[in-house]
Structures are given as structure tokens and as C-alpha cells.
Amino acid sequence: MQNDRLKKQLTFLMEIDKMKNVLRQTVLTDKSRQETDAEHSWHFAMMAMLLYEYADTDKVDLNRVIRMSLVHDLIEIYAGDTFAYDIEGNKNKEEREKKAADRLFSMLPSDQGDDIRALWEEFDDMKTQDAIYAAAIDRLQPFIINYITEGHTWKHGVTYDQVYERMYVIKSASPSLWQVVTELLDKSVELGYLKK
Amino acid sequence: MQNDRLKKQLTFLMEIDKMKNVLRQTVLTDKSRQETDAEHSWHFAMMAMLLYEYADTDKVDLNRVIRMSLVHDLIEIYAGDTFAYDIEGNKNKEEREKKAADRLFSMLPSDQGDDIRALWEEFDDMKTQDAIYAAAIDRLQPFIINYITEGHTWKHGVTYDQVYERMYVIKSASPSLWQVVTELLDKSVELGYLKK
């Protein structure tokens, strides 16, 4: 291939096939297996698209959020998925993810590598309106699956307070979605999926 | 949940979790297993995003193409994945997919169901510039994986002419990507992955 730029892009695009091998704690709704990062990213994008009307649509750019959803977990190819409620694993998460980003995004032509890295960093910082809505959906996706699967990943010692705290960003992103979360949180306690 | 609209949307969003159970003929690049429709849709979106510069960017709206990539295989939840080179399976594909679309998209509030169905039909018709670029990437994704995996899904009696014909839409979508395809097609014959 003569075009060095295109060669880099295709090499990167085949490297990220590894997103299909990164397993998350969340299972499929039929509980048959854990979902992969690639599957989660797609599901996140679909939810961001179909629930957009509940965000502050004057301030949130859905097209940017969808792009964030596609790239937000890429660094886990090298850094691995860190379970949200794993206190030890989250201690060195930032350092591991930074190293992974250096390695992964440098495979791309620098303009594209910089763009995707910036999008991932914006998501991770959770400060812009786009990133707040993205974070809300990224958390809502496993939350609802957990509820449907009778608290599948909560069973390993996760408490109501921990889930409440992790979901709290949904409150500022979308009052309507937050209402769903609080309803399902209460029901989860009632049904014994979560302990208060 | 009081909001009937939101309830419908969440029910639909959990129903499409089944995209993680629809297996394609294409395997992962490490050949460990077949990829799922959800994974393919994500990979397609990433490729559409990073290879966009090779499309006719004055005419192709990348944001629409990304949305197409996310929804283009949804109907396979009920219709199943039909292998591109399966002559028998493709005979009643249209009818099966239409039925699946009726069933699936009617789960959503009608405005959203209509929007997604229109996007899927546009993709399927392959007439607009957005749909032509989307079709090109939808075909390029398994093509390159097939090349990397030494013609994994071509081994079951697929010929050079069949692959050439299926990839041909890439020519009008992007001369640069078409050049890659023809190079890899020739190499595939040379290496014995495909028979002329």
C-alpha cells in the first residue's frame, strides 16, 4: 500500500478489533455471558441516540456524544476494564489508562490520534455538557441491565450507596432519566438486588 | 414508570441487547470466535469515522452514516444474519427483514420508529451518497478481517468473482479504498485465500 496515512489508519482499525475481547462485568440481559467493550460501546451509542430528548438538547451535541461513545473505552484494549466498584483497581487506573492512550493513539496519523484522544479526555473529565450526558448514558446502560438481571454484578458486595453515588451524574444530565434511576434503585432494594 | 414514551424506549433499548447474540460469519482477527452484530456495528462506525476523508466529503454526511451503522443490522435480531454469499438464504431475505422491521420498530414511539426504519431502508436501498459510503464500509470491514484471517469465511466455496462483485460498491464510494480492495484481492489470490 503506497498511502502511508491510510496504512496507519487500517492498522489501527484492525488493532481495535481487540475491543471484542475486552470483557466487562456486565452480562447480557439473558445472562448467557459478559458483554464486550465493543458491544457496550454500540449499546451506549444507541441509548445516547434514543434518549437524547431527555438531555438538555440546547447544550448537548448528540453527534459529539455518539463519537465519544464509540471511542470512550478504546484505551481498555491495553489498560483492561476496571470494575467501577473495585477500589484497589481504581487506584492506578489513571496511570494505566494514560500509558494505554499514549501507545494506542500514536498508531494513528497525529491529527486523528489527537482528535480521538481529546474526545476521550473530555469524556473522562466529565466537565462539558456533552461529557456529562455521555457519562450518564455510560452508567445508565449497565445499571438497567443490572436491574433486569436481578442485580447480577451487584451481588459481589456492591451497596446501594455505591450505586447511588456512581449514578448521581445522571441527575444533572437528565431529570427524567434520574427519576427512572431512583425508582429502579428503590425497587432493587425492595427486591433484594441491592443492600442499603 | 409514569412516562409511557420513556418506558417504550427503554424496553426497545433492552430488546436490542439481542444484537449481542446474533453471530456473523466473520471472525475476530485472532480467529477466536465469530463476531456479533453489535460488535460489527461498532467496528463499522469506527471505520466510517476514521476513513471518512476518502469519501466524497462534500456529499456524504458522516453523522448520518454513523447513525446508519448503528441501526443497519437491528432487524437481524428477528431475521437473523444472512451470509452475503448464501444464494438460498438471500432469496427470502427481503421478506424476512421486512417482517422483522415491522415487529421491532413498532416497539418504539412512532416518530422514532419511523426515523430508524427510514434510516435502515435508506441504507438498504444503497442509492443516496450516505448509503453508498455506509455500504462500502459495511463491506470493507469483513473484507479486511477476511484478508487478515487468511480468507477465513471465503474458504467455504466463495470465489474471487463473488467477492469482487460484492465489494464493487466501494469503487464509487471511494477510489482510495477501492485501490486497497483491489490490491488485497490480488494478494488473496496469490496467497491462496481466494480462487479465481
Side-chain angles (χ1 to χ4, degrees), chain A residues 18-81:
Chain A
K18 290 177 179 159
M19 283 278 280
K20 302 167 191 170
N21 272 329
V22 182
L23 292 179
R24 289 165 51 83
Q25 294 292 324
T26 312
V27 289
L28 307 199
T29 53
D30 67 5
K31 299 186 197 174
S32 57
R33 62 166 172 84
Q34 291 165 272
E35 66 173 359
T36 68
D37 263 357
E39 291 169 331
H40 159 69
S41 300
W42 167 80
H43 209 177
F44 170 177
M46 282 300 301
M47 291 183 72
M49 187 162 81
L50 290 173
L51 301 174
Y52 175 58
E53 66 196 78
Y54 305 108
D56 187 342
T57 54
D58 288 337
K59 291 179 187 157
V60 175
D61 178 343
L62 178 58
N63 292 319
R64 292 193 77 244
V65 172
I66 290 175
R67 290 175 194 215
M68 268 183 203
S69 72
L70 299 174
V71 306
H72 81 292
D73 271 346
L74 281 176
I75 44 88
E76 294 190 356
I77 286 173
Y78 303 136
D81 178 57

Side-chain angles (χ1 to χ4, degrees), chain A residues 62-181:
Chain A
L62 178 58
N63 292 319
R64 292 193 77 244
V65 172
I66 290 175
R67 290 175 194 215
M68 268 183 203
S69 72
L70 299 174
V71 306
H72 81 292
D73 271 346
L74 281 176
I75 44 88
E76 294 190 356
I77 286 173
Y78 303 136
D81 178 57
T82 309
F83 186 39
Y85 306 105
D86 168 8
I87 296 163
E88 276 307 307
N90 277 284
K91 278 182 184 164
N92 64 352
K93 183 172 176 257
E94 200 176 312
E95 195 193 318
R96 274 185 293 120
E97 294 196 341
K98 202 198 151 298
K99 270 190 193 163
D102 290 342
R103 181 174 160 199
L104 184 66
F105 299 136
S106 66
M107 290 179 71
L108 276 173
S110 61
D111 59 315
Q112 284 191 324
D114 291 350
D115 282 353
I116 291 197
R117 187 178 190 130
L119 210 52
W120 165 65
E121 285 175 348
E122 181 183 336
F123 170 82
D124 219 41
D125 284 347
M126 259 180 26
K127 281 174 191 151
T128 65
Q129 293 295 311
D130 292 350
I132 289 169
Y133 177 58
I137 301 297
D138 182 41
R139 287 157 196 226
L140 186 65
Q141 189 259 354
F143 174 79
I144 297 185
I145 293 181
N146 261 320
Y147 177 76
I148 289 179
T149 57
E150 300 165 317
H152 193 274
T153 67
W154 295 332
K155 280 173 191 164
H156 313 289
V158 178
T159 67
Y160 172 94
D161 287 345
Q162 283 178 302
V163 179
Y164 185 95
E165 195 192 329
R166 183 151 174 87
M167 294 307 132
Y168 199 70
V169 66
I170 300 173
K171 189 175 184 178
S172 52
S174 166
S176 307
L177 297 179
W178 178 245
Q179 204 189 319
V180 173
V181 170

Side-chain angles (χ1 to χ4, degrees), chain B residues 131-148:
Chain B
I132 289 168
Y133 177 59
I137 300 298
D138 182 40
R139 287 156 196 226
L140 186 66
Q141 189 258 356
F143 174 79
I144 297 184
I145 293 182
N146 261 319
Y147 177 77
I148 288 179

Side-chain angles (χ1 to χ4, degrees), chain A residues 5 9 20 33 53-54, chain B residues 9 20 33 53-54:
Chain A
R5 181 174 169 87
Q9 290 160 326
K20 302 167 191 170
R33 62 166 172 84
E53 66 196 78
Y54 305 108
Chain B
Q9 289 160 326
K20 302 169 190 169
R33 62 168 171 83
E53 66 195 80
Y54 305 108

Side-chain angles (χ1 to χ4, degrees), chain B residues 31-103:
Chain B
K31 299 185 195 174
S32 58
R33 62 168 171 83
Q34 290 165 271
E35 67 174 357
T36 68
D37 262 358
E39 291 169 331
H40 159 70
S41 300
W42 167 80
H43 209 177
F44 171 178
M46 283 298 301
M47 290 183 74
M49 186 163 80
L50 290 173
L51 301 175
Y52 176 57
E53 66 195 80
Y54 305 108
D56 186 341
T57 54
D58 288 337
K59 292 180 187 157
V60 175
D61 178 342
L62 178 58
N63 292 320
R64 292 193 77 244
V65 172
I66 290 175
R67 291 175 193 216
M68 267 183 204
S69 72
L70 299 174
V71 307
H72 81 293
D73 271 345
L74 281 176
I75 45 87
E76 295 190 355
I77 287 174
Y78 303 135
D81 177 58
T82 310
F83 185 40
Y85 306 106
D86 169 6
I87 297 162
E88 276 308 306
N90 277 285
K91 278 181 185 165
N92 64 351
K93 185 173 176 253
E94 201 176 310
E95 195 193 317
R96 274 186 293 122
E97 296 195 341
K98 202 198 152 298
K99 270 190 194 164
D102 291 343
R103 181 174 162 199

